[in-house]
Amino acid sequence: MKIDMRSIYTFSPVPHEGALPTGGDIYYECDCGKIVSSVSFLKAVCDCGNVTGGQGSVTVNEPARVKPLRGKLR
Ligand SMILES: [Zn+2]
């Protein structure tokens, strides 16, 4: 099932240095355009495969290509 996260959440950038932040309201926007929750319990993968998530954690192969965002329900 494909859901456009932008239709559900309003996203704003999270400033960070070094390691990517994680949290219930933190999402990662990959440079392929896909947004994945930083604590995804559902199996999730972005279109290019850089970000893969599931069971409460997310693996990012190339963090430099990912922007952390804070998501608020619309
Ligand atoms: Zn990607």
Side-chain angles (χ1 to χ4, degrees), residues 9-25:
Y9 296 95
T10 305
F11 291 106
S12 52
V14 179
H16 77 288
E17 279 180 43
L20 290 165
T22 62
D25 61 347

Side-chain angles (χ1 to χ4, degrees), residues 29-34 45-51 65-66:
E29 181 180 31
C30 183
D31 67 1
C32 69
K34 194 83 181 181
V45 60
C46 75
D47 289 343
C48 71
N50 184 33
V51 183
R65 293 176 47 209
V66 167

